[in-house]
Amino acid sequence: DHQYTNAKFLENKGLCYVLRENELSSEKFMNILKKVNYSISKKLVDSIKYNAIESIVDDMLGKA
């Protein structure tokens, strides 16, 4: 159930919506699409860590 747990982590940060497959209906899906999702989009963009690969390698090599 790790995928659900990972998705809930993002949902708790306001970065997505999460429903289990058995909870999903066309009505719920359309309601999500109708929401103003600007804030989620903005939070997703703001969560991007530029040079993340470089930071990870630096951490691994003890350069941080």
Side-chain angles (χ1 to χ4, degrees), residues 24-62:
L24 185 60
S25 67
S26 57
E27 182 180 344
K28 287 181 182 179
F29 183 70
M30 291 308 294
N31 285 337
I32 289 171
L33 291 179
K34 290 177 184 176
K35 290 182 181 183
V36 177
N37 290 304
Y38 174 78
S39 63
I40 286 181
S41 296
K42 176 84 171 94
K43 287 178 188 177
L44 283 169
V45 169
D46 291 345
S47 72
I48 295 171
K49 297 192 184 220
Y50 297 96
N51 299 323
I53 299 290
E54 184 178 330
S55 296
I56 292 168
V57 171
D58 286 347
D59 285 347
M60 291 171 64
L61 297 176

Side-chain angles (χ1 to χ4, degrees), residues 1-10 20:
D1 208 26
H2 68 283
Q3 291 177 332
Y4 179 77
T5 303
N6 291 340
K8 287 301 285 183
F9 173 81
L10 294 175
R20 290 197 178 269

